[in-house]
Amino acid sequence: MGTFLGFTVTTILLFCMAQGKVLFYDFVLKETPIEMLCETNRSVITVNGLFPGPEIRAHKGDTIYVNVTNLGPYGITIHWHGVRQIRYPWSDGPEYITQCPIPTNSSFLQKIKLTEEEGTLWWHAHSDWSRATIHGPIIILPVHNTNYPYEFDKQHTIVLSEWYARDTKDIIDEALESGGDPELSVAYTINGQPGDSYPCSNDSVYNITVVQGKTYLLRIIHAGLNEEMFFCIAKHNLTVVGMDGAYLKPLNTKYLMITPGQTMDVLVTANQTIDHYYMVFSPFVDSIAPSNENITRGIFQYSGSKSSETPALPELPGFKNKSGAGNFTTRLRSLNSEEHLSTVPTNITRNITITVSVNEQPCPANKTCAGTDGSMLSASLNNISFSTPSISILQAYYNNLPGVYNKTFPNEPPFVFDYTGNVSALGEAANVSTEVLMINYNEEVEIRLQGTNIGVAENHPMHLHGYSFYVVGMGDGNFSDSYVSDYNTVDPPYINTVGVPKNGWTAIRFKADNPGVWFMHCHLERHASWGMDTVLVVGDGKLKHQKVYPPPSDMPPCTVS
C-alpha cells in the first residue's frame, strides 16, 4: 500500500546507530474524493490518496524516515502511535505538544526509532479530528532470523474507522464554539468499507477469503474517534496473542473489546463448515452521552463456499454490557517468556493519582451555549482542563522559553471526595490552564487513574505517548491503598492505551527512562478536544545517552497556522 522506497543507506545507518535497516516512505497529504453511502460522498484529506492510509512495514530495531508533505488546506501533524521514540520526541507528532503543524505546501522529514516494539501499531494525524481519515497501520515484524512466539499461515490487517457526513474539522470547530456535543459519525468502516448493514452499501463489504484448516493472524487496529467496540466472527473462537506492539499470553475468547487507539493481534483458525460468516464490530456504549449505535460487518468466507447464501451472524455482548467489556480486558496477560520478559517496576518512587472527569464550563456572558443547561461541555484531569498553547511545549521546554506552560500539574486531585458516588453537591467547572507533570529521569512511576461520576461517567481509553506501561490493577468504585496487595506484578499487560472503567480505576506502572515531552490524553476524541489531557515532562539523566537529542533542522515553524 502506498509508495515505498526502502533501502539501506550506510552513512545514515552509521549516523543514527540503528541496529536494523533504515527505511524510507513518502506520505503526501491531499484532498481526495471518497464515495461512501451515496449521500455522504465528499472529499477528505488522505495520505497518498488512500483510506485507510498506506502501511508501514519494518522489523524490530529498524529506523524509518517518513517524508510528510502537506498539500491539504490547513496545517496537520502525524503521530506514530505506540512507538516510544526513545530520546527523540521531535517526531512524535501531537500538535502544540511536540511540534507545530506542518504548514500547507511544505514537508517535514519525520524519524521513527523502533526499539522494543514488535507487533501491530498504527500512525495517525494528531490535529483536531483529522485522524478520522488520516491513519494507517505500522506492522513491526520480529528481528531478522527470529520467529513469532506463535504459528499462523497468513495475515490480514483490519482497520476500523468512523465515517462522518461532514468535514470533521468543521464538526469539532463548531462544537467547541457552541459548547455542545459534536455531531456523531454516520457509519463505521472496515478497511474503508461500511459493509451491508447500511443503505447504499451492499456492494461495499470487506471480505477475507480463507482456506479450511488454515490459521490466520488478524492485525486489528481501532482508528475510530469516539466509540469503543466489541468484535467477533460468527461460530469462530479468537485467540488474542498481542496488543499495542507487545505479545500476550494466548487468550481464547469468543469476542474482543477494543478501544480507540488500541491494536490487537488475533489468531483465528478456519475450522468450521465451508461457508461464509459475518465478522462484526458493534459499539460498547456505557453512558448516556450521544453515540453511534450502528454496527459494521465484513465477511469471513471459506474458499469454495457459495456467496449467495446469507452469512451466519455472531452473538456479541449488548451495547451497554459493562461486565462483558470488563471480563475481557481483565483477562489480558503479558507473555513474560524468556525472550519477552516482563520487567514491572516494583520500587515505586513516584505515586500519582489522576481523576478523570467530564465537566462543564459556564457559558460566557452575552453568548448562548449548547451544553447541558446552557453550559459549555468540558473535560479534565485532576480538575484541570488542558489549554493548548500556541507554540509547542517541547520547543519551549528545550529552549527554556517562559510563559508557555506551568510545572504545577498536581500529584493528586485538589481535594478528596466520593469520586464515584453522589457528586451532585460539587461544582462541575474545572480550571482551564496549561499544566505539565514534571518527572525525574529513571523514576519508577505508578499512576492511578480514577474515574469520577462528575458530568457523564463512562469508560475512558487513556493513551500515553513515549511509553508503554504495565496495567497492574483495575477495578470498580474508588481506589483504595488496600488494593495494592492484589496487583499483578508478574505478567500484567504491557500496552500504551488502557480503558479506565466507568466509575472505576486503573493503575499503571512504568520506568521513566525516556526523557522528553510526552502527551497523555483520552483517546475518545471529543474528550481530548474538551481538555482531558496533560503532558508528562521527563527530565534528562546525567549521562549523555540519557538526554534528549537535539531537534532536526526542518522542524515546522510555529508562526504559520
Side-chain angles (χ1 to χ4, degrees):
M1 300 168 67
T3 303
F4 175 69
L5 305 170
F7 56 93
T8 303
V9 181
T10 304
T11 54
I12 296 181
L13 181 62
L14 291 173
F15 175 75
C16 67
M17 300 298 289
Q19 295 179 356
K21 292 185 176 181
V22 177
L23 308 174
F24 287 83
Y25 287 80
D26 280 327
F27 277 15
V28 179
L29 283 71
K30 60 182 180 180
E31 290 190 292
T32 304
I34 300 287
E35 293 185 4
M36 192 78 69
L37 305 181
C38 295
E39 72 276 9
T40 65
N41 294 343
R42 60 189 181 90
S43 287
V44 299
I45 302 177
T46 67
V47 170
N48 298 352
L50 301 173
F51 172 65
E55 175 188 283
I56 289 176
R57 183 171 289 252
H59 287 266
K60 182 178 179 179
D62 287 350
T63 297
I64 305 161
Y65 286 88
V66 182
N67 188 45
V68 180
T69 300
N70 182 16
L71 302 182
Y74 47 80
I76 288 179
T77 65
I78 303 289
H79 168 54
W80 320 99
H81 186 113
V83 179
R84 291 200 61 196
Q85 296 287 69
I86 301 294
R87 299 172 54 206
Y88 198 75
W90 303 104
S91 284
D92 189 51
E95 69 176 3
Y96 302 113
I97 307 299
T98 61
Q99 70 173 86
C100 290
I102 305 168
T104 298
N105 297 321
S106 66
S107 298
F108 179 33
L109 183 64
Q110 295 191 245
K111 178 181 178 181
I112 306 168
K113 294 168 58 69
L114 299 179
T115 50
E116 65 186 33
E117 304 87 358
E118 187 172 340
T120 305
L121 295 175
W122 64 302
W123 58 265
H124 61 82
H126 217 301
S127 305
D128 298 311
W129 283 23
S130 54
R131 76 174 173 90
T133 55
I134 304 174
H135 57 252
I138 303 175
I139 308 302
I140 306 170
L141 309 174
V143 172
H144 289 283
N145 301 318
T146 64
N147 297 318
Y148 293 90
Y150 48 80
E151 295 182 352
F152 60 94
D153 298 294
K154 195 173 181 181
Q155 56 185 298
H156 297 273
T157 301
I158 294 176
V159 181
L160 173 74
S161 307
E162 289 186 64
W163 182 257
Y164 287 78
R166 295 196 301 129
D167 181 82
T168 51
K169 188 175 188 306
D170 290 344
I171 288 174
I172 186 57
D173 285 350
E174 291 167 11
L176 293 176
E177 173 62 24
S178 72
D181 269 307
E183 290 177 25
L184 300 175
S185 60
V186 294
Y188 303 108
T189 63
I190 301 175
N191 289 355
Q193 301 182 53
D196 59 5
S197 60
Y198 297 92
C200 194
S201 67
N202 288 341
D203 296 327
S204 183
V205 184
Y206 178 69
N207 185 301
I208 294 176
T209 300
V210 300
V211 175
Q212 192 177 45
K214 300 291 186 181
T215 296
Y216 297 83
L217 171 63
L218 305 182
R219 299 181 179 272
I220 301 174
I221 298 167
H222 192 336
L225 266 60
N226 286 309
E227 304 295 349
E228 299 164 303
M229 286 285 177
F230 293 113
F231 170 80
C232 75
I233 301 174
K235 299 186 179 180
H236 288 75
N237 288 331
L238 307 173
T239 302
V240 188
V241 293
M243 184 174 175
D244 286 2
Y247 294 119
L248 296 173
K249 284 184 173 66
L251 172 64
N252 295 317
T253 181
K254 294 287 188 182
Y255 66 90
L256 313 177
M257 203 291 279
I258 184 168
T259 75
Q262 290 180 336
T263 66
M264 292 185 184
D265 294 336
V266 180
L267 299 178
V268 57
T269 299
N271 56 8
Q272 297 300 305
T273 304
I274 293 177
D275 205 337
H276 49 302
Y277 303 83
Y278 274 127
M279 47 186 180
V280 177
F281 284 99
S282 175
F284 165 53
V285 180
D286 64 346
S287 81
I288 60 172
S291 59
N292 177 354
E293 295 189 359
N294 290 307
I295 66 169
T296 185
R297 301 192 293 223
I299 296 176
F300 192 77
Q301 179 169 332
Y302 282 65
S303 179
S305 66
K306 297 179 181 179
S307 59
S308 60
E309 299 173 359
T310 301
L313 276 167
E315 293 184 9
L316 273 166
F319 289 155
K320 299 184 182 297
N321 193 329
K322 184 174 184 287
S323 62
N327 290 343
F328 169 78
T329 303
T330 55
R331 289 189 293 151
L332 300 171
R333 297 287 184 271
S334 286
L335 184 57
N336 194 23
S337 66
E338 185 176 346
E339 296 81 13
H340 304 281
L341 284 173
S342 295
T343 55
V344 185
T346 55
N347 182 29
I348 300 302
T349 58
R350 186 75 176 275
N351 256 310
I352 300 163
T353 299
I354 299 178
T355 52
V356 184
S357 305
V358 175
N359 304 82
E360 298 172 1
Q361 299 294 342
C363 187
N366 302 317
K367 181 176 179 177
T368 300
C369 296
T372 307
D373 297 325
S375 67
M376 301 273 290
L377 296 178
S378 179
S380 67
L381 299 176
N382 271 355
N383 207 43
I384 297 170
S385 185
F386 186 79
S387 176
T388 305
S390 57
I391 70 168
S392 89
I393 291 176
L394 174 60
Q395 288 166 300
Y397 166 72
Y398 190 82
N399 295 299
N400 294 311
L401 301 179
V404 177
Y405 59 89
N406 301 313
K407 301 178 182 180
T408 50
F409 189 92
N411 281 339
E412 56 189 24
F415 59 96
V416 176
F417 59 98
D418 182 4
Y419 304 115
T420 59
N422 184 347
V423 296
S424 58
L426 298 175
E428 296 187 357
N431 298 316
V432 179
S433 58
T434 308
E435 310 287 337
V436 307
L437 179 60
M438 305 299 294
I439 295 176
N440 295 324
Y441 184 81
N442 256 357
E443 283 197 285
E444 295 194 3
V445 180
E446 177 172 322
I447 299 180
R448 298 158 182 179
L449 296 160
Q450 174 68 63
T452 78
N453 206 22
I454 293 174
V456 178
E458 61 183 296
N459 195 82
H460 298 285
M462 297 300 296
H463 171 51
L464 176 59
H465 293 224
Y467 288 88
S468 286
F469 45 75
Y470 291 99
V471 182
V472 294
M474 180 180 292
D476 292 326
N478 299 331
F479 178 84
S480 167
D481 287 334
S482 64
Y483 299 155
V484 175
S485 60
D486 296 325
Y487 279 179
N488 176 11
T489 58
V490 176
D491 59 356
Y494 186 59
I495 59 180
N496 62 63
T497 305
V498 66
V500 180
K502 176 182 178 178
N503 284 330
W505 59 272
T506 298
I508 66 174
R509 288 183 175 183
F510 61 93
K511 187 172 184 177
D513 57 0
N514 187 14
V517 169
W518 306 110
F519 202 28
M520 185 176 190
H521 62 95
C522 182
H523 230 277
L524 299 181
E525 207 69 7
R526 66 184 186 278
H527 292 171
S529 299
W530 290 339
M532 195 177 284
D533 326 289
T534 192
V535 172
L536 276 58
V537 176
V538 178
D540 285 341
K542 295 180 180 179
L543 304 177
K544 184 177 180 180
H545 70 275
Q546 298 172 338
K547 300 180 186 298
V548 172
Y549 286 107
S553 60
D554 63 338
M555 286 296 295
C558 288
T559 56
V560 179
S561 61

